[in-house]
Amino acid sequence: MTTLPSLHPIQYESILRRGLEEDLGLAGDLTSDAIIPDDVTVSGKLVARTAGRIAGVQVAAHTFSLLEHKVSVELLVEEGTDTSNDAVLARVDGNARSILTAERVALNVLGRMSGIATATQSIVAAVKPFKATVVCTRKTLPGLRVLEKYAVRAGGGVNHRFGLDDAVLIKDNHLLIAGSVQEAVSRVRGSVGHMVKVEVEVDTMAQLEDALAAGVDAVLLDNMDVATLRDAVSLVNSRVIVEASGGITPDTAPGIAQTGVDLLSVGWITHSAPALDVALDIDAKSVGR
């Protein structure tokens, strides 16, 4: 497995701070503050209750340090690692109040990201015999895109555009307003720079022919059945990148990939992936001052 580069804390620290601010509110952690003296220390471990592909363990670890810099976290797995049931992902040592206060935000991030990575890995494995690459979409939770798209990479997928500002994707409503594929592409070419890729979403063979004639860089074949996808790939004949989208799951992905498309655009890996079950287990023998 290729080592996955880490995200820099600058990319996600504001997300963690917002999560902690939301949880602490104005009164703080009423439960921990009342029960635990401020000088009590503990040791614990982050555990994956179920098997899956891990993503976000470094992000989760950073959550604890935001509340108390003396909390130490030892990471025991790398991002993108496949783990078994009850695998220990990291060890946490330090101030008990800080660890318990940060627990939920850390676990929410770790579980969410690992769930996305696990879902992505399932699609990637399903299409492994074919050339198609699994890509994500912009169907991410607001404010969490950097984490969710990183989790896709941890699962073996590739990121599509991050936002509206890094590529052009002309969709059905754009075409409706512009009046035609040719007119929409012409307006885009007259507006954006030479470094910007242009892709057009098509749902008929006629639109596909128009897009090819307009000189686009890629086409998105939306909700086409397998037979039509195969015809579309034959028509394109490797002239542009071919992307397929529309309700792709691990069950349907192999048949779609077999048509020869280059990319499978999958929304559910970010918008509907179930979180991986992760937990923080405190060692009772470690409680001390």
Side-chain angles (χ1 to χ4, degrees):
M1 181 185 68
T2 303
T3 301
L4 184 68
S6 301
L7 288 171
H8 194 283
I10 288 176
Q11 295 175 279
Y12 59 77
E13 188 170 292
S14 62
I15 296 172
L16 300 178
R17 288 186 180 278
R18 287 197 300 272
L20 291 169
E21 288 168 1
E22 179 182 55
D23 228 9
L24 285 164
L26 298 178
D29 184 350
L30 298 179
T31 309
S32 296
D33 290 351
I35 295 172
I36 306 170
D38 60 10
D39 60 347
V40 171
T41 59
V42 294
S43 296
K45 54 189 179 182
L46 294 176
V47 178
R49 296 287 191 227
T50 56
R53 175 68 61 91
I54 299 303
V57 66
Q58 293 174 323
V59 182
H62 193 72
T63 311
F64 296 103
S65 67
L66 288 178
L67 288 182
E68 172 57 70
H69 70 277
K70 292 182 179 179
V71 171
S72 64
V73 183
E74 179 188 6
L75 302 181
L76 302 178
V77 299
E78 296 182 350
E79 303 285 357
T81 297
D82 290 323
T83 60
S84 57
N85 293 349
D86 296 320
V88 180
L89 310 178
R91 298 191 185 280
V92 184
D93 298 278
N95 181 267
R97 276 190 190 175
S98 297
I99 290 174
L100 294 186
T101 298
E103 174 186 2
R104 178 42 51 199
V105 173
L107 293 179
N108 284 352
V109 169
L110 178 58
R112 172 74 179 164
M113 292 179 68
S114 296
I116 290 171
T118 301
T120 302
Q121 192 275 335
S122 70
I123 291 270
V124 171
V127 302
K128 189 174 181 179
F130 311 104
K131 72 170 185 175
T133 298
V134 175
V135 300
C136 55
T137 70
R138 289 187 299 118
K139 295 176 182 178
T140 56
L141 288 175
L144 298 184
R145 184 166 294 167
V146 64
L147 299 183
E148 295 185 353
K149 282 187 172 282
Y150 179 82
V152 167
R153 299 199 299 277
V158 173
N159 295 149
H160 207 286
R161 59 179 179 164
F162 269 76
L164 297 173
D165 61 342
D166 61 2
V168 170
L169 176 52
I170 302 171
K171 299 176 71 67
D172 53 355
N173 286 329
H174 298 115
L175 296 177
L176 178 69
I177 294 169
S180 69
V181 172
Q182 184 66 50
E183 180 61 24
V185 173
S186 176
R187 292 181 189 181
V188 164
R189 293 296 190 195
S191 177
V192 303
H194 70 286
M195 296 292 288
V196 180
K197 296 282 189 180
V198 177
E199 181 173 14
V200 176
E201 176 186 278
V202 302
D203 52 24
T204 67
M205 294 296 286
Q207 284 184 327
L208 175 58
E209 291 176 350
D210 290 343
L212 294 173
V216 299
D217 301 296
V219 290
L220 174 60
L221 309 179
D222 186 45
N223 282 300
M224 291 184 176
D225 59 38
V226 169
T228 307
L229 284 172
R230 192 174 291 110
D231 290 342
V233 170
S234 178
L235 176 62
V236 171
N237 194 26
S238 301
R239 285 178 286 174
V240 301
I241 295 171
V242 179
E243 180 178 354
S245 73
I248 299 173
T249 68
D251 291 333
T252 62
I256 294 171
Q258 196 172 22
T259 65
V261 297
D262 301 298
L263 305 173
L264 300 183
S265 182
V266 187
W268 77 266
I269 55 177
T270 51
H271 69 62
S272 296
L276 196 72
D277 186 5
V278 293
L280 171 65
D281 291 342
I282 297 295
D283 180 2
K285 296 179 180 180
S286 71
V287 178
R289 294 186 176 182

